């Protein structure tokens, strides 16, 4: 065979190799995005499992705070029933639960017996740790989304992503009210 044929074969093999490596890179990035969401989902489930225990522990001390406790349980039930792929709705409800949990933790200041209850303190610590893990998992998710979306926009993976109909993934966003600067008064 002539050298020209070998060059053509080498170019074809190189193009195929680049195509395969790029396609696999897109698939890996998509898997990382799914895995990052799964980490959030795991932490949300953990928090959802802890909430009933916190509510039961708190009920005995703060009987007239029934609305706050029922609100947390209602939000938890809504979160459990969010469709699997609706990340934005899950995060919206998760943020509402976080705000409600802050209210329950604030109750401990008004009820010294509750503040001294070891079960409450342990649950409060567990939930605080879980909230921190959720925050970290959100960061990981957004980082994974950035990597994936970047691959969709850069050459040559943008061509391959269009051929295989890879779609952009949205970041998890912080609600506007949480971005406001808190007002501190003395």
């Amino acid at each position: 065979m002539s050298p020209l044929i070998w060059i053509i074969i080498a170019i074809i093999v190189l193009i195929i190799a680049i195509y395969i490596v790029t396609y696999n890179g897109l698939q890996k990035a998509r898997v990382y995005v799914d895995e990052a969401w799964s980490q959030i989902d795991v932490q949300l489930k953990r928090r959802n499992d802890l909430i009933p225990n916190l509510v039961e522990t708190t009920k005995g001390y703060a009987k007239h705070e029934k609305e706050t406790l029922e609100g947390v349980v209602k939000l938890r039930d809504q979160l459990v029933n969010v469709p699997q792929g609706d990340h934005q709705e899950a995060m919206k409800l998760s943020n509402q639960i976080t705000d409600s949990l802050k209210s329950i933790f604030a109750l401990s200041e008004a009820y010294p017996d509750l503040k001294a209850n070891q079960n409450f303190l342990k649950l409060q610590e567990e939930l605080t740790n879980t909230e921190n893990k959720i925050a970290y998992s959100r960061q990981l998710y957004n980082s994974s989304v950035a990597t994936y979306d970047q691959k969709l926009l850069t050459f040559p993976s943008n061509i391959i992503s269009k051929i295989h109909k890879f779609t952009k993934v949205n970041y998890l966003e912080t609600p506007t009210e949480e971005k406001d600067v808190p007002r501190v008064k003395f």
Side-chain angles (χ1 to χ4, degrees), residues 108-127:
S108 68
E109 297 301 321
Y111 298 93
D113 292 341
L114 177 60
K115 192 174 182 179
N117 181 294
Q118 291 302 311
N119 285 339
F120 179 83
L121 293 175
K122 185 176 182 214
L123 287 166
Q124 184 178 18
E125 183 180 334
E126 288 284 327
L127 282 163

Side-chain angles (χ1 to χ4, degrees), residues 2-18:
S2 77
L4 181 61
I5 292 177
W6 283 112
I7 292 173
I8 292 172
I9 290 173
I11 290 172
I12 291 172
V13 168
L14 181 63
I15 290 171
I16 291 171
I18 290 171

Side-chain angles (χ1 to χ4, degrees), residues 43 46 124-134:
Q43 296 307 322
R46 175 176 161 72
Q124 184 178 18
E125 183 180 334
E126 288 284 327
L127 282 163
T128 300
N129 289 338
T130 301
E131 290 294 327
N132 291 336
K133 289 176 184 176
I134 290 170

Side-chain angles (χ1 to χ4, degrees), residues 67-87:
E67 287 177 17
T68 303
L69 300 174
E70 287 174 351
V72 172
V73 171
K74 182 180 173 187
L75 287 170
R76 175 196 174 270
D77 292 343
Q78 287 176 351
L79 182 60
V80 168
N81 293 317
V82 168
Q84 189 75 9
D86 194 350
H87 302 282

